Amino acid sequence: MGVFAAYASTAGRALVDRELYLPRSWTDDRDRCRAAKIPDQREFATKNTLAGAIVRRVLASPLPIAWVTADAAYGQDNRFRRMLETSGVGYVLAVPKSQYSLAGPRIDDVFEQAPDQAWERRSCGAGAKGQREYDWAAVQLRPVAEYDYQDGVLTRRRWALARRSLSRPGEIAYYLGYAPLDVDVDELVRVAGARWAIEECFQAAKNECGLDEYEVRRYVGWYRHITLAMLAHAFLAAMTARAAEKGDPPVWMLRSSSSLWRKCGDSWQLTHPDNTAPAHTR
């Protein structure tokens, strides 16, 4: 099982980092680890610990980063949130309904008390079938002096958000947000919707680059395969962005569920939507 990070911008999205999760049944068996060429210094680490290490590496990279998003497995981790806050980066993290909001009531209890007018229909981004619209409610939480002030001046604001399905109102998802003072609810909703970028990256990297098509027996083999697939995925994302800048037909559709690669004899064809001459590779 791998832990991954994706980078998303207006130009596109791509997977940018990865770590292999090893359960204790592996790390506690050093003979088994050595047989699989796992380094002796590699000890047990939870997926949240691996995610924290990945995020720190990405934040230290040249990539311009304003936000971090993640699902509830990471959002409910207080240490993960504190790491982001001390790094000075904004976040919108999914949390379970049982999450407590800064020593206050559970987050689902907070929104059960919300008046009807607090729920507003908003789009969190375009999807395959149009705008992804939900009813959203957002409330500001009290600041934390240790993290939210600089020289006695409030610089960051904390939020709790809820996203309610239009067709199934009983389905509500919850988020905690941390953002600069000038960020409004629409921006928080947009960031919450950006988390789907990693699912789109997984789909594209599996369909187009064979991310999941490996049969490896050793630690190094997993990293080599995954890294090569990620590199190919990033290359295609960059080429698609470049084609869009030039106004050319896209050479690869990041959101496509069907591959543009077609078998042709002993080689492959990369088909194009406009039926122009395909590229070939062996």
Side-chain angles (χ1 to χ4, degrees):
M1 182 179 297
V3 179
F4 291 82
Y7 184 76
S9 73
T10 55
R13 54 191 60 80
L15 297 170
V16 293
D17 206 345
R18 74 285 174 260
E19 285 287 358
L20 178 64
Y21 168 74
L22 297 172
R24 288 190 183 276
S25 59
W26 274 86
T27 57
D28 289 348
D29 188 340
R30 300 318 303 180
D31 290 337
R32 187 183 187 187
C33 286
R34 292 188 184 100
K37 304 300 181 183
I38 297 171
D40 288 340
Q41 63 269 27
R42 179 66 190 269
E43 299 179 349
F44 174 75
T46 66
K47 287 186 287 184
N48 288 35
T49 299
L50 295 175
I54 287 174
V55 170
R56 282 190 288 271
R57 285 201 297 264
V58 176
L59 291 175
S61 76
L63 290 171
I65 297 170
W67 299 95
V68 172
T69 68
D71 63 26
Y74 305 103
Q76 67 181 338
D77 186 342
N78 181 65
R79 290 172 297 181
F80 185 76
R81 298 197 307 273
R82 290 291 179 264
M83 181 269 293
L84 296 177
E85 292 165 11
T86 55
S87 300
V89 65
Y91 63 70
V92 180
L93 304 173
V95 294
K97 65 180 181 180
S98 58
Q99 180 74 38
Y100 284 88
S101 53
L102 294 177
R106 283 176 31 146
I107 195 167
D108 57 346
D109 290 338
V110 170
F111 287 99
E112 281 183 3
Q113 303 170 20
D116 292 340
Q117 58 268 32
W119 295 91
E120 297 184 27
R121 193 149 303 175
R122 303 174 188 269
S123 170
C124 56
K129 299 180 179 179
Q131 293 297 316
R132 297 188 299 240
E133 289 190 332
Y134 298 87
D135 286 336
W136 291 82
V139 62
Q140 296 179 21
L141 303 177
R142 63 175 177 82
V144 176
E146 183 179 359
Y147 300 99
D148 305 344
Y149 290 86
Q150 289 185 0
D151 300 325
V153 178
L154 182 67
T155 59
R156 295 272 176 168
R157 182 170 287 129
R158 296 173 183 271
W159 296 83
L161 297 92
R163 186 197 73 202
R164 187 172 66 190
S165 171
L166 302 184
S167 58
R168 295 180 292 273
E171 293 185 5
I172 302 177
Y174 301 96
Y175 302 84
L176 290 178
Y178 185 69
L181 298 181
D182 58 350
V183 170
D184 58 17
V185 177
D186 284 333
E187 178 70 358
L188 295 172
V189 168
R190 183 195 67 79
V191 174
R195 195 188 68 79
W196 280 302
I198 196 164
E199 304 300 337
E200 294 168 344
C201 285
F202 283 144
Q203 179 181 339
K206 290 176 181 179
N207 288 343
E208 312 296 344
C209 307
L211 181 72
D212 58 341
E213 296 176 8
Y214 59 86
E215 296 180 7
V216 298
R217 296 179 180 272
R218 295 182 177 180
Y219 182 84
V220 174
W222 186 88
Y223 274 94
R224 286 175 175 171
H225 177 92
I226 294 298
T227 304
L228 181 59
M230 288 171 53
L231 178 60
H233 174 243
F235 172 79
L236 291 173
M239 293 297 292
T240 299
R242 181 176 297 179
E245 287 180 359
K246 294 180 178 179
D248 296 335
V251 297
W252 183 62
M253 299 299 293
L254 279 171
R255 295 182 180 176
S256 174
S257 60
S258 60
S259 176
L260 298 179
W261 291 71
R262 298 288 184 269
K263 188 72 173 178
C264 181
D266 61 350
S267 65
W268 291 89
Q269 287 184 347
L270 182 60
T271 60
H272 291 259
D274 60 352
N275 295 321
T276 57
H280 296 262
T281 184
R282 289 182 180 271

